[in-house]
Amino acid sequence: MAAAEPILRVENLRTALDISAGRFVVVDDVSFTLDAGETLGIVGESGSGKSMTALSILRLLPRPVGTIVGGRVILDGEDLLTKTDDEMRRIRGREIGMILQDPHTSLNPVFTIGNQLREALHIQDPSASRSSLKEKAIAALRAVRVAAPEHRVNTYPHQMSGGMKQRVVGAIAISGRPKVIIADEPTTALDVTIQLQYLKLLEELQAETGMGILFITHDFGIVARLCHRIVVMYGGRIVESGPTATVFDHPSHPYTEALLASVPTVERRVERLYAIEGQPPSLASFGAGCRFAPRCPHAMDRCRTETPPSFPGKSGLGVERHGAACWLLEEDRA
């Protein structure tokens, strides 16, 4: 029996920023897939290209600075990069949605929650009546477990807690029943208890709807709990990818090893937490070779001049299941 096609396929995506200093590629040859009902985590430090990848998929790059210069984004068999702006407006919300990072800035403070939900619902169904839209708005709030939704539709964002506002942002994102949700660090502004509740909510909604979730985060604890597979990005490139448990147990790229080593654990008592030396690369410093080489304790001369392909990871499961872009893996197999 043939395997089902991924709901989202990103192939060799390249995105550039044109600024006064020149053109810089900030998403460089990024490829991954997302299946229906699957959660794929994208992790990396700030500036690694996670959010730019998400904005590229949605065609929401800042204009005229941001440009997609190559690749394909296949959503349910259709290439989003060939769509017109009007076609993309119809696809956003209906086919693919996004939960933004900060609920405080995602909602308009001068409109009620109901107003903002009805606006999103009206775009998806322009012929719907006002009373029908209100009923759908209440149902959307109920779907994300907002208590007393009939009352909440008439409240303003400042009258709600951060966790409740993030639920409202989620309600707007899922109101069109999209096939894919991109969640860009949606738990960053929430305390630990509310984070857990929100993650459980996403899992429940995914089980009910079968949507695929692209979860962008820097929190490995969230990845371990929520994500089936993981993609590690650095300097706009994917340096490692594979099933979450496999990457955690057999990290194969020095950057992934360093990220995992920097996560504190209750089992390991240390005087000082581990930190990765140096700083993430700036746009101007992108050059030939591995972009992690300036910070890598294992870097060889070749790392600074040749870009490594993806080799099978240390788990031995093969490059398609677990791979990392590091010359050390070729040296280990030589």
Side-chain angles (χ1 to χ4, degrees):
M1 184 175 178
E5 275 294 306
I7 192 69
L8 177 68
R9 182 185 297 276
V10 177
E11 299 177 351
N12 309 114
L13 181 64
R14 299 183 80 244
T15 300
L17 295 180
D18 293 301
I19 57 179
S20 57
R23 168 170 282 194
F24 300 95
V25 177
V26 293
V27 177
D28 193 357
D29 200 29
V30 166
S31 299
F32 58 81
T33 61
L34 175 69
D35 293 329
E38 179 187 36
T39 302
L40 175 68
I42 302 183
V43 302
E45 294 169 290
S46 297
S48 61
K50 306 185 302 295
S51 294
M52 288 301 294
T53 299
L55 294 176
S56 299
I57 292 171
L58 286 163
R59 300 263 305 276
L60 288 175
L61 294 168
R63 296 182 177 179
V65 177
T67 308
I68 297 173
V69 295
R72 298 199 305 165
V73 177
I74 311 297
L75 177 65
D76 203 18
E78 298 188 30
D79 189 354
L80 300 186
L81 303 189
T82 65
K83 302 295 182 183
T84 65
D85 288 346
D86 285 341
E87 287 173 330
M88 280 304 301
R89 276 190 284 271
R90 288 191 289 271
I91 288 170
R92 297 188 198 105
R94 292 186 181 95
E95 304 291 330
I96 184 168
M98 187 168 188
I99 301 173
L100 297 172
Q101 179 174 349
D102 188 354
H104 305 290
T105 57
S106 300
L107 297 171
N108 193 321
V110 301
F111 290 103
T112 65
I113 295 304
N115 249 322
Q116 297 179 64
L117 266 166
R118 286 197 300 271
E119 180 185 21
L121 291 164
H122 176 69
I123 291 172
Q124 295 155 21
D125 186 6
S127 63
S129 65
R130 185 176 179 83
S131 60
S132 173
L133 289 176
K134 182 175 181 179
E135 290 175 4
K136 289 181 179 179
I138 292 172
L141 291 179
R142 188 176 291 115
V144 294
R145 318 299 189 260
V146 171
E150 298 84 357
H151 167 69
R152 290 295 184 183
V153 291
N154 300 315
T155 60
Y156 289 87
H158 73 272
Q159 296 174 299
M160 306 179 82
S161 67
M164 203 60 77
K165 279 187 279 194
Q166 191 61 289
R167 287 173 184 249
V168 172
V169 172
I172 293 173
I174 69 166
S175 60
R177 293 290 176 174
K179 298 167 184 172
V180 173
I181 285 285
I182 299 176
D184 189 358
E185 303 200 34
T187 59
T188 299
L190 308 179
D191 63 50
V192 176
T193 304
I194 302 302
Q195 275 188 20
L196 181 59
Q197 293 176 4
Y198 196 76
L199 294 177
K200 285 183 177 178
L201 173 62
L202 285 178
E203 289 176 321
E204 291 170 5
L205 292 173
Q206 186 179 52
E208 292 172 10
T209 64
M211 63 185 178
I213 299 177
L214 195 62
F215 201 97
I216 298 171
T217 185
H218 59 269
D219 189 327
F220 273 91
I222 291 176
V223 171
R225 172 186 171 78
L226 193 67
C227 299
H228 302 95
R229 290 187 297 121
I230 182 174
V231 166
V232 183
M233 291 190 68
Y234 185 84
R237 294 174 177 165
I238 293 178
V239 297
E240 186 163 359
S241 63
T244 301
T246 303
V247 173
F248 275 44
D249 293 340
H250 306 280
S252 300
H253 194 283
Y255 180 59
T256 310
E257 292 177 349
L259 286 176
L260 289 170
S262 65
V263 178
T265 65
V266 294
E267 295 86 4
R268 186 177 60 202
R269 296 182 62 86
V270 293
E271 294 293 325
R272 184 172 181 174
L273 293 177
Y274 176 82
I276 305 173
E277 296 293 333
Q279 296 293 325
S282 66
L283 296 179
S285 68
F286 287 174
C290 175
R291 290 176 179 171
F292 187 60
R295 305 172 68 188
C296 180
H298 310 293
M300 306 174 286
D301 291 341
R302 143 182 236 189
C303 299
R304 299 178 176 87
T305 57
E306 300 178 49
T307 301
S310 184
F311 296 101
K314 293 178 181 177
S315 63
L317 294 177
V319 66
E320 291 186 0
R321 284 187 55 83
H322 178 209
C326 181
W327 290 118
L328 289 173
L329 294 173
E330 185 187 51
E331 294 284 324
D332 290 344
R333 287 165 173 76

